[in-house]
PDB file of all heavy atoms in Angstrom:
ATOM      1  N   ALA A  28     -42.772  13.802  54.311  1.00 96.00           N
ATOM      2  CA  ALA A  28     -42.650  14.589  55.540  1.00 96.00           C
ATOM      3  C   ALA A  28     -42.779  13.694  56.775  1.00 96.00           C
ATOM      4  O   ALA A  28     -42.017  13.842  57.741  1.00 96.00           O
ATOM      5  CB  ALA A  28     -43.706  15.686  55.566  1.00 96.00           C
ATOM      6  N   SER A  29     -43.702  12.748  56.750  1.00 98.00           N
ATOM      7  CA  SER A  29     -43.879  11.866  57.914  1.00 98.00           C
ATOM      8  C   SER A  29     -42.682  10.926  58.063  1.00 98.00           C
ATOM      9  O   SER A  29     -42.227  10.668  59.185  1.00 98.00           O
ATOM     10  CB  SER A  29     -45.189  11.089  57.832  1.00 98.00           C
ATOM     11  OG  SER A  29     -45.270  10.338  56.646  1.00 98.00           O
ATOM     12  N   GLU A  30     -42.143  10.413  56.968  1.00 98.00           N
ATOM     13  CA  GLU A  30     -40.961   9.556  57.047  1.00 98.00           C
ATOM     14  C   GLU A  30     -39.772  10.335  57.613  1.00 98.00           C
ATOM     15  O   GLU A  30     -39.041   9.825  58.467  1.00 98.00           O
ATOM     16  CB  GLU A  30     -40.594   9.013  55.664  1.00 98.00           C
ATOM     17  CG  GLU A  30     -41.569   8.001  55.123  1.00 98.00           C
ATOM     18  CD  GLU A  30     -41.372   7.709  53.652  1.00 98.00           C
ATOM     19  OE1 GLU A  30     -40.782   8.537  52.927  1.00 98.00           O
ATOM     20  OE2 GLU A  30     -41.810   6.626  53.214  1.00 98.00           O
ATOM     21  N   LEU A  31     -39.592  11.552  57.153  1.00 97.00           N
ATOM     22  CA  LEU A  31     -38.491  12.378  57.640  1.00 97.00           C
ATOM     23  C   LEU A  31     -38.648  12.665  59.130  1.00 97.00           C
ATOM     24  O   LEU A  31     -37.685  12.569  59.896  1.00 97.00           O
ATOM     25  CB  LEU A  31     -38.415  13.675  56.837  1.00 97.00           C
ATOM     26  CG  LEU A  31     -37.213  14.573  57.128  1.00 97.00           C
ATOM     27  CD1 LEU A  31     -35.893  13.858  56.864  1.00 97.00           C
ATOM     28  CD2 LEU A  31     -37.305  15.835  56.286  1.00 97.00           C
ATOM     29  N   ASP A  32     -39.860  12.984  59.560  1.00 97.00           N
ATOM     30  CA  ASP A  32     -40.103  13.249  60.983  1.00 97.00           C
ATOM     31  C   ASP A  32     -39.808  12.026  61.845  1.00 97.00           C
ATOM     32  O   ASP A  32     -39.171  12.135  62.894  1.00 97.00           O
ATOM     33  CB  ASP A  32     -41.542  13.713  61.211  1.00 97.00           C
ATOM     34  CG  ASP A  32     -41.782  15.136  60.740  1.00 97.00           C
ATOM     35  OD1 ASP A  32     -40.802  15.881  60.534  1.00 97.00           O
ATOM     36  OD2 ASP A  32     -42.966  15.499  60.590  1.00 97.00           O
ATOM     37  N   VAL A  33     -40.239  10.858  61.407  1.00 98.00           N
ATOM     38  CA  VAL A  33     -40.000   9.631  62.172  1.00 98.00           C
ATOM     39  C   VAL A  33     -38.506   9.312  62.198  1.00 98.00           C
ATOM     40  O   VAL A  33     -37.947   8.979  63.245  1.00 98.00           O
ATOM     41  CB  VAL A  33     -40.816   8.453  61.596  1.00 98.00           C
ATOM     42  CG1 VAL A  33     -40.410   7.124  62.221  1.00 98.00           C
ATOM     43  CG2 VAL A  33     -42.314   8.699  61.792  1.00 98.00           C
ATOM     44  N   PHE A  34     -37.841   9.446  61.060  1.00 96.00           N
ATOM     45  CA  PHE A  34     -36.407   9.162  60.995  1.00 96.00           C
ATOM     46  C   PHE A  34     -35.610  10.102  61.897  1.00 96.00           C
ATOM     47  O   PHE A  34     -34.740   9.660  62.663  1.00 96.00           O
ATOM     48  CB  PHE A  34     -35.919   9.270  59.551  1.00 96.00           C
ATOM     49  CG  PHE A  34     -34.455   9.003  59.404  1.00 96.00           C
ATOM     50  CD1 PHE A  34     -33.946   7.723  59.565  1.00 96.00           C
ATOM     51  CD2 PHE A  34     -33.576  10.028  59.113  1.00 96.00           C
ATOM     52  CE1 PHE A  34     -32.585   7.471  59.443  1.00 96.00           C
ATOM     53  CE2 PHE A  34     -32.221   9.791  58.990  1.00 96.00           C
ATOM     54  CZ  PHE A  34     -31.722   8.505  59.147  1.00 96.00           C
ATOM     55  N   LEU A  35     -35.906  11.390  61.824  1.00 95.00           N
ATOM     56  CA  LEU A  35     -35.176  12.358  62.641  1.00 95.00           C
ATOM     57  C   LEU A  35     -35.489  12.199  64.128  1.00 95.00           C
ATOM     58  O   LEU A  35     -34.613  12.399  64.978  1.00 95.00           O
ATOM     59  CB  LEU A  35     -35.458  13.779  62.167  1.00 95.00           C
ATOM     60  CG  LEU A  35     -34.924  14.104  60.762  1.00 95.00           C
ATOM     61  CD1 LEU A  35     -35.336  15.502  60.341  1.00 95.00           C
ATOM     62  CD2 LEU A  35     -33.412  13.928  60.688  1.00 95.00           C
ATOM     63  N   ALA A  36     -36.711  11.808  64.449  1.00 97.00           N
ATOM     64  CA  ALA A  36     -37.057  11.540  65.852  1.00 97.00           C
ATOM     65  C   ALA A  36     -36.255  10.351  66.368  1.00 97.00           C
ATOM     66  O   ALA A  36     -35.694  10.395  67.469  1.00 97.00           O
ATOM     67  CB  ALA A  36     -38.557  11.283  65.987  1.00 97.00           C
ATOM     68  N   ALA A  37     -36.176   9.288  65.573  1.00 96.00           N
ATOM     69  CA  ALA A  37     -35.403   8.104  65.978  1.00 96.00           C
ATOM     70  C   ALA A  37     -33.942   8.465  66.174  1.00 96.00           C
ATOM     71  O   ALA A  37     -33.314   8.061  67.159  1.00 96.00           O
ATOM     72  CB  ALA A  37     -35.548   6.995  64.936  1.00 96.00           C
ATOM     73  N   ASN A  38     -33.397   9.253  65.263  1.00 93.00           N
ATOM     74  CA  ASN A  38     -32.005   9.660  65.369  1.00 93.00           C
ATOM     75  C   ASN A  38     -31.771  10.522  66.607  1.00 93.00           C
ATOM     76  O   ASN A  38     -30.788  10.347  67.320  1.00 93.00           O
ATOM     77  CB  ASN A  38     -31.565  10.404  64.111  1.00 93.00           C
ATOM     78  CG  ASN A  38     -30.098  10.746  64.156  1.00 93.00           C
ATOM     79  OD1 ASN A  38     -29.253   9.871  64.155  1.00 93.00           O
ATOM     80  ND2 ASN A  38     -29.808  12.031  64.247  1.00 93.00           N
ATOM     81  N   ALA A  39     -32.676  11.440  66.882  1.00 94.00           N
ATOM     82  CA  ALA A  39     -32.531  12.308  68.054  1.00 94.00           C
ATOM     83  C   ALA A  39     -32.545  11.488  69.343  1.00 94.00           C
ATOM     84  O   ALA A  39     -31.771  11.749  70.269  1.00 94.00           O
ATOM     85  CB  ALA A  39     -33.651  13.349  68.083  1.00 94.00           C
TER      86      ALA A  39
END
Side-chain angles (χ1 to χ4, degrees):
S29 57
E30 290 167 338
L31 187 59
D32 286 343
V33 170
F34 180 71
L35 294 176
N38 184 65

